[in-house]
Amino acid sequence: MIYADNAATTKMSRVAIDAMVNCMENIWGNPSSLYEFGQKAKEAITSAREKIAACINAEPNEIYFTSGGSESDNQAIISAAKVGAKKNKRHIISTAFEHHAVLHTLKKLEAEGFEIELLDVHENGVITPAQVENAIRKDTCLVTIMFANNEIGTIQPIAEIGAICRAKKVPFHTDAVQAAGHINIDVQKLNVDALSISAHKFHGAKGVGVLYARKNFQLTNIIEGGAQEKGKRAGTENVPAIVAMAAALDDACKNLDANNKKVLALREKLIDGLNKIPYSILNGDRKKRLPGNVNFCFEGIEGESLLLLLDDKNICASSGSACTSGSLDPSHVLLAIGRVHEVAHGSLRLSIDENNTEDDVEKIISAVAEVVEYLRNMSPLWKDKLNGKKNFILEA
Ligand SMILES: *Cc1c(COP(=O)(O)O)cnc(C)c1O
């Protein structure tokens, strides 16, 4: 099998699995228990908190453990909205191509009377700091803009946006789920007030994540109960998953440069190879993107058929967000960067990592070329294009 869907989830790393198993076997007490065996679990959490804080240049007491990226996004956004509403500030700025964990939370707030302004994304999949600056108003209570897009991998100018927000005293949250463990994160340099992370996107376990919240960023607990996480997130901690997440992030950060060098070379080769397929287009800026992300549209192709035929060849890929697959709507991300419906339907996301090889990349290129040609040959619409009865949208 060739796994090229690391943006959907990653395989747990050896260090993470070992840390998790050790914890399940030896440190399974309740961290809230007062006896020594429970306190051992508490110590494991404390040490994981310190490790994660060090990876992103935060203070340990600014790290809150959650059930993953979705919960972190929800908590950050709802918290800022609650604080804003108290001051009669109900304007929130975001972008049209956020993850649904952000977009759906904003939709809910809109129904509660908040005004949501979604910035347009440029065709290259990047928004500009000036767009944010122009959108900020006196009643803006939050700017939330993703660090790296989960479908097209484009990286946003977070540090510049953060500087603007700080100057205007508007809280700034970023969904860094695709960025963490893959590109460097320094919450000081980025000028962010809150930042979401999910372990299973960097070789940790599923169902665990982090919300980084700077001391001035007031959190509202969205899960009521015990006093865990300073009363901001109730529920007995998922100790094995938390410990494994710290091990995975630490490992990813230590190997970041070496991994990226390897992955970048593979990505460039993959893009060059797929670019040779006629009537194809790379989605998102070629340079301002995650090292492992490749996303193409192929005219005249239906993304789901492409995926199923690639699956027959043992290649795991995606048409975009795993959350939208199964629905027939084209990706909101591709529509946001201006792809027309007909082209957006034919999308393919390949997200590779350091475990992939040159051989994988060569096999992917030839498999995609073959499948695209096969599907086009079967299509009456494609024949109409070839004999001039219909126009092509993309250039050959
Ligand atoms: C995967 C993902 C999420 C959701 O994270 P979960 O841990 O699966 O809840 C949120 N935002 C982005 C950008 C993602 O890629």
Side-chain angles (χ1 to χ4, degrees):
M1 176 185 84
I2 297 177
Y3 188 75
D5 200 15
N6 287 283
T9 198
T10 58
K11 181 184 178 180
M12 282 186 76
S13 58
R14 181 42 52 193
V15 285
I17 293 173
D18 288 347
M20 191 150 179
V21 169
N22 176 51
C23 198
M24 290 191 286
E25 277 178 342
N26 304 311
I27 321 179
W28 47 265
N30 189 322
S32 299
S33 299
L34 291 180
Y35 42 79
E36 196 188 333
F37 187 58
Q39 288 303 300
K40 269 200 166 147
K42 188 172 180 170
E43 280 161 26
I45 293 179
T46 302
S47 139
R49 207 184 298 282
E50 288 166 357
K51 229 182 223 177
I52 288 169
C55 287
I56 63 170
N57 198 17
E59 299 288 334
N61 60 9
E62 296 170 322
I63 301 293
Y64 296 84
F65 294 120
T66 67
S67 68
S70 300
E71 184 183 325
S72 298
D73 286 343
N74 273 259
Q75 189 172 17
I77 294 168
I78 290 169
S79 296
K82 287 229 160 106
V83 171
K86 274 189 211 147
K87 301 177 192 161
N88 240 339
K89 295 182 173 187
R90 291 189 166 80
H91 178 239
I92 300 177
I93 298 167
S94 189
T95 74
F97 77 158
E98 296 295 313
H99 190 273
H100 283 134
V102 169
L103 286 179
H104 291 175
T105 305
L106 295 176
K107 262 252 151 331
K108 195 165 94 174
L109 289 171
E110 191 169 40
E112 291 170 17
F114 286 84
E115 188 185 336
I116 311 299
E117 183 168 347
L118 299 182
L119 302 175
D120 286 335
V121 185
H122 293 256
E123 205 219 332
N124 70 347
V126 181
I127 66 148
T128 62
Q131 283 178 280
V132 178
E133 181 149 39
N134 294 335
I136 290 178
R137 310 190 313 213
K138 281 209 170 65
D139 62 340
T140 305
C141 64
L142 175 70
V143 172
T144 174
I145 289 171
M146 71 195 321
F147 199 154
N149 184 269
N150 47 300
E151 292 189 32
I152 57 174
T154 48
I155 296 169
Q156 308 306 313
I158 295 301
E160 291 87 340
I161 294 169
I164 290 166
C165 292
R166 181 141 312 158
K168 302 220 172 193
K169 297 193 167 64
V170 178
F172 178 40
H173 164 255
T174 187
D175 174 340
V177 173
Q178 288 291 331
H182 301 281
I183 52 177
N184 188 46
I185 292 183
D186 178 327
V187 293
Q188 310 310 332
K189 287 194 184 128
L190 289 173
N191 305 310
V192 293
D193 300 306
L195 178 141
S196 305
I197 290 179
S198 173
H200 75 102
K201 304 288 175 76
F202 53 82
H203 307 289
K206 290 159 188 61
V208 66
V210 161
L211 174 58
Y212 157 79
R214 199 179 284 278
K215 284 179 202 76
N216 58 318
F217 191 92
Q218 239 175 289
L219 286 185
T220 305
N221 45 333
I222 56 175
I223 297 181
E224 303 288 345
Q228 292 91 351
E229 300 302 294
K230 293 186 273 172
K232 301 302 180 192
R233 204 286 187 176
T236 303
E237 300 88 337
N238 188 349
V239 189
I242 288 170
V243 167
M245 169 165 63
L249 189 61
D250 184 53
D251 186 48
C253 292
K254 281 191 180 128
N255 295 301
L256 196 79
D257 292 337
N259 286 345
N260 279 355
K261 205 169 153 215
K262 181 182 176 196
V263 176
L264 255 176
L266 293 177
R267 181 194 82 188
E268 291 305 290
K269 194 179 164 101
L270 189 50
I271 293 178
D272 286 337
L274 296 178
N275 255 334
K276 294 204 180 89
I277 298 175
Y279 306 101
S280 67
I281 190 166
L282 175 72
N283 293 311
D285 197 276
R286 179 146 184 179
K287 290 218 171 71
K288 292 176 190 162
R289 70 191 302 134
L290 290 169
N293 177 288
V294 173
N295 189 312
F296 266 84
C297 279
F298 302 101
E299 186 169 350
I301 297 294
E302 211 276 297
E304 302 280 306
S305 325
L306 180 57
L307 289 184
L308 291 177
L309 291 172
L310 287 177
D311 186 23
D312 284 344
K313 294 176 184 291
N314 277 322
I315 295 173
C316 304
S318 159
S319 59
S321 162
C323 318
T324 42
S325 55
S327 83
L328 284 174
D329 294 334
S331 142
H332 70 286
V333 172
L334 296 177
L335 296 180
I337 62 167
R339 296 278 177 260
V340 296
H341 276 243
E342 198 186 336
V343 168
H345 269 297
S347 61
L348 174 69
R349 179 187 70 187
L350 296 155
S351 39
I352 53 172
D353 78 357
E354 64 281 3
N355 298 315
N356 289 107
T357 61
E358 287 218 13
D359 188 51
D360 288 351
V361 166
E362 278 156 23
K363 285 193 175 122
I364 292 171
I365 294 168
S366 60
V368 174
E370 194 183 309
V371 169
V372 165
E373 193 181 330
Y374 170 79
L375 288 171
R376 282 175 176 168
N377 283 341
M378 291 205 319
S379 150
L381 191 85
W382 195 253
K383 291 200 181 94
D384 285 349
K385 291 198 177 209
L386 287 177
N387 58 34
K389 282 190 200 154
K390 270 202 154 69
N391 292 329
F392 286 105
I393 298 168
L394 299 175
E395 281 174 35

